[in-house]
Every structure is written in structure tokens, then in C-alpha cells.
Amino acid sequence: MVDVNTAQSKVPLLPIHGEATATNNTSSVLKSIRANKYLQIASGPLGCALIMLFVDGPSSSRNMLAVLAWVFLWWLSEAVPMAVTSMSPLFLFPLFGVSSADDVAKTYMDDVISLVLGSFILALAIEHYNIHKRLALNITSLFCGDPLNPPLLLLGICGTTAFVSMWMHNTAAAVMMIPVATGILQRLPDMSNCSGSNTDVQRFCKAVILGVIYSAAVGGMSTLTGTGVNLILVGMWQSYFPQEEAISFSTWFMFGFPLALMLFFVLWIVLCLLYCSTSTGKSLSAYLDRSHLKRELELLGPMDFAEKMILTIFGGLILLWMTRSITDDVPGWGALFHNNVGDGTVSVMMATLLFIIPNKKNEGEKLMDWNKCKKLPWNIVLLLGAGFAIADGVHTSGLADELSDALSFLKTAPYIAIAPLACLVSATITEFTSNNSTTTLVVPLLIELARSMSVHPLLLMVPGAIGAQFAFLLPTGTPSNVVGFATGHIQIKDMIKVGLPLKVAGIALITVLMPTLGAYVFRTDRIV
């Protein structure tokens, strides 16, 4: 007789494969966490909480620092779509007492954002009429070489951007050249399959976009009209030291152009080393053959009325940008309107003409209509607005003062280290605030430090202002970065990969040039 109890005791309470099921469940949970980015999402609030708990200081500046940690961790980890992260200051600032809801909302629309909106509309018009394709074919056929030479083509694109940026605002230069660059890249195959030759194609696409945005920044350093930072520096020099000789266009060019030229070649070399391999030319040659390019250019035929008008409007916009405010001696046309107009004013005004002038193709049809503007990258506008909100919050919360107090260590620095330290501090702060805000914040402090150290103020002011233009690591650093990031060809890690060595090289060049060429140009060997 079989013992029923013994028989039942041998029957497992759960199926034999239960352990395997538990393992599979654990694996599924881990996959779910990874797929839903729960860890990345938690990183923002966690970083915020750690700062709130362990960082001492005034509550307003500590709260701002905590919010910064939250926002930038989400940006870096891409926990949520970047546009959503860009809207987070709209609820984080009021909740943490950084600023009121109305105040933070107002920072999402200002003159610079108006400039970007108008510029984007013009860029869409250029794209709609394939003007960027015509420019791209001309540049590509001129620089591609025979056989195809990718580094030479990259040099041509970057060099053109840097030259344009010398005579107009670097943001405008990037807005103008990005459609040209994407026109070249549109000739290349879809990179959804990144195996084989497509890997080379994808890497070259990254190099072109990074080259354009960084060349725009580097080219703008060489002249006073290339960026607002240089004009702020000149204005502060005249305001604090009216008895001294003003920094003229030619004076700055003598220092800024050699610096920009050397930094430009560093950028080109870095891009070639990181993104151009020996097989890149072979991978691209099927799509960028010079004879085919010339044939396509001929097939486009002569420019029609619409294309000519769009280029005329764009040229007029560039001219108005360049001449709105030049120097104190030559104030520019903006003085006629009591300097109430800004670059955004001009940008939107010229973009409006596109909706007024007929294209002479179809009766009653204008150069642009609003349906063609539905591709406006509003997510980029939000990203830019978040950058301005953060810049404003850094000032109003008192965090800017805390950062300024931290610069007092420069007083004990040796003479040879003054310039690179001033540049390093400014180059660090500019990643979190706008270039102009960084200059306005740092340069006055550097002037006071120079006085207390009994050194020439420009020995600190110039490196500080130039360092403010080294915003190479994040898309929010400058509007130019935003314009390039909007193409979708690059990610934040690509910007860091190229931007970090470029920033280091820039600081190294300042270290060498400021006590040598700078001493000759600005006469920093004397005490003011």
C-alpha cells in the first residue's frame, strides 16, 4: 500500500521551471527599467535632492543649483524628450522659489528668440526653393577634389562658415550655413543602417554639422562684429577706463584673427582625426563625384525670380544685422530708432516680407505661406528659452554672486597663470549661461581683481571675454549650437567629444598668445 502522504510530499508545490520563471521576471523588470529610462528619470530629482540636503549656503542660490542639477541631468541622460526637459524650468522655478511663474515664462520669448524664429523662417524659404542645394553644389564641386578628398571638403565648408561669421553674428552665420551643409548631406544615403560604408557616411555627417557650428563660433572671435561678447568687452573697457585708448576694430583684429585662425585649424584637425578615416573618401565618392555635381548644377538652370528675391532678402538681413550697431563713432542705423530695435526685430521684419512679395509662379501665391512654416522647430525654441530662463535664474537667485566670490582665488595665482585661469573660469560658466551673460558677470569682477593685483586689466578681461565664447559642450551653450543640434545629425556626446579638446586648445592658445601677442597689441606690460 502506498503512503498517500509520502506520495503527496514528493509533489512540488510549484512547477519545476519556477526558478527559471523568476529569473525571466527579473530580466524583464531590468529590461523595462532600461527601456523606460527610469534610472535616467530618477537621476534628475535625486541630484536635486542631494544638493538640497548636503550643500550649504543661501537657500535661493542652493535651490537654483539644485534645479540646475535636475535640468542638466535630464538633458545629458535624455531621460525625457529634450523639449520636455526644456519646459521643466516653467514648473521647477516657481516650485523651488527661484522666480515667479510669470517671470520665468517671459524669458521664453525675447529678442534673440525672435532672431532665431525669423531666421528659421528664412531658412525654410531657402530650403523650399532648393537654394541651399544650389549653394551646396557650388561649394562641394569647388572643394571636393578629384578624386574626392573628405578633409578638403570639410575644410571648405568650415572655412566658408568661419569667413562668413567674421562679418556677421555667429548665430546668423550658423543659420545661413546649416541649410547649405544639410543640402550637401542630403545627397548621401539614409544612415538608418550604420554598417559598412554607411558608418563612414554617418561620421562624416557629424563632422560637417559640428564643423559648421564651431567654425561659426571661432570665426566670430576674430572681429568685433562677429559676436556680441567682443562688443561688450570693448564697451566695458571704455566705460571703466575712459582715459585709455579705445579698442578699435583693427586692434582687435590683430589679436583675434591669429587666435581664431589657429583655433580653426585645431578644430579641422580634431574633426578629421575623429570622423574622417581612410575609407571615408571611397564611401562618399559615389555620391559626391565632381562631374556629377557640375551636371546637376547645370540641370538646375538659371535662378528664377523667387530664388533671387529670397537671396536679396537674406542679403538685406545680413547687411542690416552688420550695420545696426557698429561702434560709438559709427553708431549704425539703429541709432535712428534710439537703439530700440534689435537683431530679432530685423529678423522678423525681413521674414515678414516673404509673406508679402509674390513668387511670380502662381497667381496670388507669395514667396512663403504659413503652411510651409509648419516645420518650424518649436522644440528648439523651447530649448533656447530654457537656456535664457536658467541664465536669468542664476542672476536673480544669487548663484551668480556665489560664483563670483569663488573667483577670488585668482588673486594668489602666479602671473603666467592669470590669463588661462581667467579664461578657464569664464569658459566653465558659459556652458550654463549665455555668452553675453557670462561676459557681463565675469568681466567686471576680473577688472576689480586686476586692480587689486596691480596688473593690466586687459590681461584678465580679454581671456575672460574670449573664454565666454568657448561654449562648445552643450547645445544650450549658444544659439549656434542649438541650430546645429536641430538637424538631428549630432548628439550631446558628439559635442563633448569635439568640444572638450577644442576648449582645452583654446585655453592653451590664450596662455601662449596673451603674454606675447596680447602684450604687443594691448600693451598689457604697463599698469593702468
Side-chain angles (χ1 to χ4, degrees):
M1 182 176 180
V2 179
D3 188 349
V4 176
N5 292 334
T6 303
Q8 289 179 344
S9 64
K10 295 181 180 179
V11 178
L13 296 177
L14 294 173
I16 296 175
H17 63 276
E19 293 182 7
T21 302
T23 303
N24 290 336
N25 288 339
T26 303
S27 178
S28 298
V29 170
L30 292 175
K31 288 182 179 179
S32 176
I33 291 174
R34 190 182 303 112
N36 291 292
K37 296 185 177 181
Y38 290 136
L39 292 178
Q40 292 95 319
I41 292 171
S43 67
L46 180 61
C48 176
L50 289 174
I51 290 176
M52 293 291 290
L53 290 173
F54 298 108
V55 174
D56 296 326
S59 59
S60 58
S61 58
R62 183 196 61 205
N63 291 354
M64 182 62 214
L65 187 62
V67 170
L68 269 180
W70 185 322
V71 173
F72 279 99
L73 282 171
W74 272 11
W75 264 334
L76 292 172
S77 64
E78 298 180 354
V80 297
M82 187 163 285
V84 178
T85 304
S86 300
M87 290 190 293
S88 61
L90 290 169
F91 67 86
L92 289 176
F93 279 28
L95 291 177
F96 282 82
V98 174
S99 62
S100 67
D102 284 337
D103 288 340
V104 67
K106 289 175 183 176
T107 61
Y108 278 74
M109 177 56 73
D110 67 359
D111 185 65
V112 175
I113 294 180
S114 299
L115 180 151
V116 172
L117 278 174
S119 300
F120 275 144
I121 293 174
L122 281 163
L124 286 176
I126 289 173
E127 181 180 349
H128 177 74
Y129 290 98
N130 286 322
I131 299 173
H132 66 300
K133 182 178 180 181
R134 188 184 295 274
L135 293 173
L137 286 171
N138 277 292
I139 292 176
T140 309
S141 62
L142 180 63
F143 288 101
C144 69
D146 193 9
L148 179 66
N149 187 337
L152 180 62
L153 176 57
L154 191 59
L155 179 65
I157 297 170
C158 295
T160 303
T161 306
F163 179 78
V164 170
S165 184
M166 290 171 61
W167 314 108
M168 58 191 292
H169 196 279
N170 49 24
T171 300
V175 169
M176 177 180 175
M177 290 302 299
I178 282 293
V180 176
T182 53
I184 296 172
L185 302 184
Q186 284 172 2
R187 299 183 51 80
L188 304 177
D190 181 25
M191 277 77 67
S192 58
N193 175 20
C194 296
S195 62
S197 63
N198 275 357
T199 303
D200 291 329
V201 171
Q202 185 183 50
R203 287 157 59 86
F204 186 75
C205 290
K206 292 177 183 292
V208 169
I209 299 300
L210 291 168
V212 168
I213 60 176
Y214 290 148
S215 295
V218 171
M221 297 176 192
S222 58
T223 64
L224 292 182
T225 55
T227 174
V229 170
N230 294 346
L231 293 173
I232 292 173
L233 171 68
V234 171
M236 287 189 174
W237 171 251
Q238 290 181 295
S239 175
Y240 278 84
F241 306 98
Q243 75 282 2
E244 297 296 321
E245 184 179 353
I247 301 174
S248 65
F249 187 97
S250 58
T251 300
W252 181 264
F253 188 80
M254 288 176 63
F255 179 80
F257 181 72
L259 169 67
L261 186 64
M262 286 185 278
L263 194 57
F264 171 80
F265 279 108
V266 170
L267 168 64
W268 178 60
I269 291 170
V270 169
L271 289 174
C272 289
L273 290 175
L274 292 178
Y275 296 105
C276 293
S277 64
T278 54
S279 60
T280 303
K282 183 178 179 181
S283 301
L284 300 178
S285 59
Y287 313 101
L288 297 175
D289 181 77
R290 175 174 283 182
S291 60
H292 294 164
L293 295 172
K294 289 184 177 180
R295 193 176 303 116
E296 285 194 32
L297 196 56
E298 293 173 357
L299 290 174
L300 288 177
M303 297 180 66
D304 59 20
F305 174 80
E307 292 178 77
K308 291 178 181 178
M309 284 306 304
I310 290 172
L311 284 180
T312 300
I313 291 172
F314 204 92
L317 173 62
I318 293 171
L319 181 63
L320 291 173
W321 270 340
M322 290 177 60
T323 58
R324 179 181 65 85
S325 178
I326 304 173
T327 63
D328 289 339
D329 296 330
V330 185
W333 62 267
L336 298 175
F337 300 93
H338 308 290
N339 293 319
N340 289 325
V341 297
D343 289 335
T345 309
V346 181
S347 182
V348 174
M349 180 182 70
M350 299 302 282
T352 303
L353 293 178
L354 297 173
F355 300 87
I356 298 174
I357 300 173
N359 63 9
K360 291 193 176 181
K361 290 186 175 182
N362 299 313
E363 187 66 29
E365 190 173 304
K366 309 299 182 182
L367 292 173
M368 286 289 285
D369 58 58
W370 192 247
N371 286 330
K372 297 170 186 172
C373 295
K374 288 182 178 179
K375 294 196 298 181
L376 277 172
W378 294 106
N379 58 324
I380 303 303
V381 174
L382 289 172
L383 178 64
L384 201 56
F388 293 139
I390 289 171
D392 183 69
V394 167
H395 283 286
T396 58
S397 67
L399 183 59
D401 296 330
E402 297 292 327
L403 294 174
S404 298
D405 292 339
L407 297 180
S408 59
F409 72 92
L410 285 173
K411 292 182 180 180
T412 60
Y415 182 84
I416 192 64
I418 291 175
L421 281 174
C423 185
L424 176 62
V425 169
S426 191
T428 303
I429 296 175
T430 194
E431 296 293 348
F432 306 101
T433 65
S434 69
N435 296 2
N436 292 349
S437 297
T438 301
T439 308
T440 305
L441 164 69
V442 173
V443 170
L445 173 66
L446 295 177
I447 292 173
E448 297 304 320
L449 284 174
R451 284 172 170 168
S452 64
M453 297 168 65
S454 298
V455 298
H456 196 288
L458 288 178
L459 190 64
L460 274 69
M461 292 173 67
V462 171
I466 292 176
Q469 300 173 61
F470 290 166
F472 298 141
L473 302 183
L474 297 173
T476 54
T478 66
S480 302
N481 293 1
V482 174
V483 171
F485 196 81
T487 64
H489 285 289
I490 59 174
Q491 298 175 329
I492 291 178
K493 61 182 180 182
D494 298 310
M495 298 186 68
I496 294 175
K497 187 189 299 184
V498 177
L500 189 58
L502 192 62
K503 188 188 285 274
V504 172
I507 295 173
L509 286 172
I510 285 293
T511 305
V512 175
L513 290 179
M514 199 60 215
T516 53
L517 180 62
Y520 170 74
V521 174
F522 302 117
R523 294 185 292 170
T524 57
D525 54 344
R526 59 189 179 87
I527 304 298
V528 174

